[in-house]
Amino acid sequence: MATVIRNDNQARAQDDSSTPGVHRVRYPGSLIRCVLGLTAAALTLLIATGAHGTAGGLEADVAEGAEHVPWPPGQFAGVASAVALLLVPLAFAVDRLVRRAALRVADGVFAAVVAYGLSLGLDAVFGDLATLTHASPDGLGRTDAVYGHLAPVLAFMTAAGLVGLPRWRTALTAALAVAGLTGLVTGWATPLSLVLALLVGWAAAHGTVYAIGTPIVRPSTEQLRHSLGQAGARPDLVRRTGFRRYLVTQHDGRPDLDVRLLDRHAQATGLFHRLWLLLRLRTAPRPRGLRSLRSGLEHEALLAYAACASGARTRRLAATAELDADRALVAYEYLPGRTLAELDDAELTDELLTDAWLQLDLLQRRCLAHRALAPENVLVGPDGAVHLIGLTDGEIAAGELLLHLDVAGLLTTLALRVGAERAVATGTAVLGEAAIGTALPLLQPIALPRGTRNALKGRPELLTAIREEALRGRPQAPVEPVRLERLRPRTLLALVAGVFAGYLLLQFLFSSKTNPISTVAHADPGWLALAALAAVASHFAATMGFVGFVPEKLSFRRTLAAQVAGSFVKLISPGGVGGVALNTRFLQCSGVPTAQALSSVGACQAIGAVLHLMQLAVFSAVLGQSQGTELPDSPVLVAALAVVAVLAVLALSVPWVRGRLAGLLRPLRAEVLPRLLDLLQQPRKLAVGLLGQLMVSMTLVICLYCCTRAVGPHPAFAATAVTYLAGNAAGNVAPTPGGSGVVEGLLATALAGTASIDQGTALAAVILLRVLTFLLPILPGWVAFTWLQRRKAL
């Protein structure tokens, strides 16, 4: 979101439009440019400090080329470039002052001071770097790491505003080019110092502009009248109705005008959110902040003309006008009325709903996508006619996907007020069953406008009701949601976590005294064979632990195949999420009702977690006794438990915490506990399940122990058990597929600490464990997954 900083003039009454007001806008594009400039400057310094050969070769090539360039004597060239760097910004400042842009000039001066300070700081830090500086031509020292005054000049003119001033941009470019070439030819600059000066000036300018904001002057009444008059309107009275909205009456009985001011604030509002949507969604509109002001003005005008030409009722564009490079006006004929959300229930007749669908149908016939059919953009006039407004983000020559999105948007917007039945019935009467049916896969919150999404938060069942109502008339319509996301948040999180985990593993690898790769290559084959057997046994144990918590009879062979298939599912899902979904689907295909399937999987997971923690506690106690550690004294332990109890009571005294806890425990009480009571009637099966859950953890602990023995050390079994039980539990929370990277780092660090072995050796043992339990089972898991699918068991 753009941040607006208003001065004291903005505190005056909004109806006073005769005096122009000033507010400052922090434009996100300036922050992005500043970050890019600083990044490029950092890369330049990295090249200067690390790539000595490349930087030195570049400087030698430039020096050799400069010798062949016909150039005036060095003293004359230096004076000429200095005069150019002085006169161009001075003349520019005078021009801006004449144009009453004193605030922008002040911003430019501040940016120049910041750029000069950064230049001095970089000179102090990197002044002796051979790739940035060399001996000065006069022999009195070294040249500057940031060449000359290029950075302050560039920062001043950029911050003072060069948008829409092509002549001044050309003059600045020429002055910088002459100064830079003069510095290279005369030996007062190096290529990298020249590049660094330009980057520092550019970054300082945009950083300053974002920090203090760009001053935007609200146009006066005279300016508005003059601009609208030049655009063909006949303005009379001007009244400000909002932050950037004006109501203008006209002479000769012409209709009133609803005038909207387009400026940098309008462009910047919500830019970061829109950029995220553009990155995440295939259907996201291009952010207005990425367009120039003129481009945005032309886009809005073209959409307004196209909508009117289609015959649909919308606001009619009356005039457009550019005030200056940073501001423009869009004037629509004033359209009185109330939005859909403001109407009473009695006013929402079927005729009104049908009219709304007819207006959308007219837009769709011309392939015009509205893209924002939220309740606030459906306006009902005093005569009861529906108008579709808010076409700013619309699309001309839209594809089928965008047109279907509009159908889904209007369907949801109307259903929010009149219910699914009437919304579907009126839509079907106008567009037909086929058009409504094709919109069903797009009935997902992420595909709807923000206003509609906000209204849906309290009614999550509405989309399901719309689908069911539409399927009554067209049962064959597709309902599977269309994939609209090109990048999901959890995918981005997994990528970041994977990169971070990989970095930690590399740090772990290079900091160890032992090379884990060579250690793995020389592992003991006997212990490796035992580790492989333990890894295979873990799948049989998992099958026992799963079958024991399902009262219904299951095929042991197919259940074993499902557990092996879980190794393949881990590759594309984080932690144990994939296994839970696979087991639930397996039970459903085996004839177990969905509720009972979820209860069985939940009971299996809950009991498994409890047994896992119990094993961790037992082996921790054994490890503590074997290493001579003692439990805390009784008073200390009692005090700690008392503190925990008090904190728990305080937390439960908060209604929100109680509600959240009750919501989390409700599935356990309503589904898992009754399932466990059913299992108590089959004690033999329950015993098999408990034994299987215990053996799952134990077989994997044995596998890690054998892998550790295979690479040399002889750790205590209790230390190995604590390492695996604690590290694997923490790794299951990781968002990466199968906990990749996180599990390896946690297990290796824990094994090195608890078993007192070298980090490289610990990492070698963990690598062997992950190869046997995560990588090698992928191919058999894929075979088992395919086999179950062919037999319709998944």
Side-chain angles (χ1 to χ4, degrees), residues 161-404:
L162 286 170
V163 178
L165 303 173
R167 293 182 179 180
W168 284 114
R169 285 203 303 268
T170 302
L172 174 63
T173 302
L176 294 177
V178 170
L181 189 56
T182 300
L184 292 175
V185 172
T186 58
W188 285 98
T190 63
L192 291 183
S193 70
L194 185 60
V195 172
L196 191 59
L198 297 176
L199 291 174
V200 167
W202 194 67
H206 290 291
T208 301
V209 168
Y210 182 78
I212 63 178
T214 302
I216 302 295
V217 181
R218 190 178 72 235
S220 65
T221 300
E222 291 74 16
Q223 287 176 310
L224 288 172
R225 286 200 187 104
H226 178 72
S227 299
L228 291 174
Q230 285 188 325
R234 298 290 304 278
D236 182 16
L237 299 177
V238 178
R239 183 167 62 90
R240 191 156 66 98
T241 58
F243 183 41
R244 295 187 305 275
R245 301 293 289 268
Y246 301 86
L247 182 62
V248 179
T249 60
Q250 298 192 85
H251 294 290
D252 303 333
R254 294 189 181 187
D256 296 345
L257 299 180
D258 183 7
V259 180
R260 186 162 58 91
L261 176 66
L262 297 179
D263 55 18
R264 285 186 173 270
H265 175 256
Q267 286 186 294
T269 301
L271 178 61
F272 288 133
H273 175 71
R274 289 172 177 267
L275 285 174
W276 166 241
L277 288 181
L278 185 65
L279 178 66
R280 183 182 179 187
L281 298 180
R282 296 189 292 116
T283 58
R286 184 185 178 190
R288 290 190 294 268
L290 298 182
R291 300 190 185 110
S292 65
L293 188 65
R294 172 172 286 275
S295 177
L297 181 64
E298 292 173 347
H299 178 79
E300 185 168 345
L302 184 60
L303 269 169
Y305 287 133
C308 288
S310 70
R313 287 192 292 271
T314 184
R315 285 196 174 115
R316 182 176 177 274
L317 184 66
T320 60
E322 260 192 357
L323 296 177
D324 51 42
D326 294 326
R327 298 175 302 170
L329 294 176
V330 180
Y332 294 92
E333 291 185 359
Y334 177 69
L335 187 62
R338 292 175 295 165
T339 63
L340 193 67
E342 297 171 339
L343 297 177
D344 296 331
D345 292 341
E347 298 177 276
L348 297 172
T349 62
D350 286 346
E351 290 76 14
L352 186 144
L353 303 180
T354 301
D355 191 17
W357 284 111
L358 287 172
Q359 303 314 305
L360 177 62
D361 184 45
L362 290 172
L363 291 178
Q364 301 234 324
R365 290 176 184 273
R366 295 293 184 94
C367 294
L368 298 177
H370 190 288
R371 302 188 67 124
L373 284 171
E376 62 270 17
N377 288 329
V378 179
L379 187 72
V380 180
D383 57 351
V386 175
H387 301 75
L388 301 182
I389 60 176
L391 279 158
T392 306
D393 291 327
E395 200 79 38
I396 296 175
E400 290 188 359
L401 181 60
L402 294 182
L403 298 179
H404 296 334

Side-chain angles (χ1 to χ4, degrees), residues 518-530:
S518 61
T519 304
V520 169
H522 296 88
D524 188 332
W527 284 106
L528 273 182
L530 291 176

Side-chain angles (χ1 to χ4, degrees), residues 58 66 139 175 182 248 279 292 314 409 417 498 537 546 642 657 672 697 741:
L58 177 62
T182 300
V248 179
L279 178 66
S292 65
T314 184
R417 288 303 316 272
F546 183 66
V657 175
V672 175
S697 299

Side-chain angles (χ1 to χ4, degrees), residues 587-637:
L587 291 180
Q588 289 174 329
C589 294
S590 299
V592 180
T594 301
Q596 284 80 358
L598 291 171
S599 301
S600 293
V601 175
C604 181
Q605 294 291 318
I607 298 299
V610 171
L611 294 177
H612 191 97
L613 293 176
M614 291 175 60
Q615 288 174 294
L616 178 60
V618 170
F619 281 110
S620 297
V622 172
L623 180 62
Q625 292 180 359
S626 64
Q627 294 182 350
T629 58
E630 297 180 357
L631 292 175
D633 295 335
S634 296
V636 176
L637 185 60

